[in-house]
Amino acid sequence: QERRGQERGLRSALIRQQRDGETGVASQVNSTRDCRRAEPLAQFTAEVLSRRHRKVVKRGRRRAELDPPGLHRLRIEIKKLRYAAEFFSSLYERKAVRSYTAALAALQELLGTWNDAATGERLCEALREGHDDAAYREAVGAVRGWAAATAHDHLEQLPQAWKRFRAVGTFW
């Protein structure tokens, strides 16, 4: 939903920019909202991307301390930033955008797979309860063990992926 809103906003901004000239400054500005609409597209996109980037960096600084819901929120913020970066990518140099979004995609993939594995582990624990069949409990235990190992492995990879993301720098 947010992505569709961004797309509508960008289309509107492009139409206004064509209508009002290259600077994007409207001939009459009647309100704060009109001021926001009249700003140059590059300034608008830089503000959107910077705001999302700051949110990711702020949450990511504490990633080692985050509980599962906190890591999930970090993943969602990364996803929002990645989608915004991809959406505005045609306005910037391709190689820089690609490096940035690839670093975001790696973080998103790690956290997404970690979340899936952690959820699988919790579900397996619930499945084991109340079953006396040894084979059933063993099978669920094996799946739970795989999920726990996968979650652990992905959390161990997170610091290096975060370091790569921070090293890339912003492209706007």
Side-chain angles (χ1 to χ4, degrees):
Q1 187 176 3
E2 183 176 349
R3 196 170 186 178
R4 278 183 268 148
Q6 288 173 344
E7 290 171 358
R8 283 193 303 274
L10 181 59
R11 278 195 296 274
S12 296
L14 291 171
I15 291 167
R16 281 191 303 281
Q17 201 162 17
Q18 285 178 335
R19 179 191 69 211
D20 299 330
E22 290 300 312
T23 63
V25 178
S27 57
Q28 279 189 319
V29 177
N30 298 320
S31 69
T32 305
R33 189 172 180 185
D34 286 340
C35 287
R36 183 79 175 148
R37 287 181 176 164
E39 71 184 308
L41 189 55
Q43 180 183 340
F44 171 75
T45 60
E47 287 175 11
V48 168
L49 292 169
S50 292
R51 185 176 63 248
R52 294 219 173 273
H53 181 82
R54 280 191 306 272
K55 285 182 178 182
V56 167
V57 169
K58 184 178 178 180
R59 265 194 212 282
R61 277 190 199 120
R62 299 182 5 252
R63 68 193 173 279
E65 305 160 17
L66 293 176
D67 59 357
L71 286 169
H72 179 68
R73 286 190 297 275
L74 174 60
R75 183 180 68 85
I76 297 303
E77 291 299 332
I78 289 169
K79 181 169 72 168
K80 289 177 180 180
L81 174 57
R82 179 181 169 202
Y83 289 166
E86 289 172 348
F87 181 78
F88 294 126
S89 66
S90 64
L91 302 172
Y92 297 95
E93 196 267 316
R94 176 181 281 168
K95 185 176 180 182
V97 173
R98 195 173 24 226
S99 296
Y100 186 80
T101 56
L104 284 171
L107 283 170
Q108 188 181 350
E109 176 68 22
L110 276 175
L111 288 169
T113 303
W114 170 84
N115 188 54
D116 293 346
T119 300
E121 185 180 359
R122 284 190 306 275
L123 291 173
C124 285
E125 180 59 27
L127 286 173
R128 288 184 72 189
E129 298 300 319
H131 287 280
D132 293 329
D133 180 20
Y136 178 86
R137 291 176 61 85
E138 184 178 339
V140 170
V143 172
R144 184 172 181 231
W146 170 85
T150 300
H152 178 76
D153 181 53
H154 281 71
L155 279 182
E156 282 190 345
Q157 293 177 43
L158 189 58
Q160 188 61 34
W162 182 260
K163 190 175 179 179
R164 280 193 303 272
F165 164 67
R166 296 297 287 148
V168 170
T170 59
F171 60 86
W172 56 93

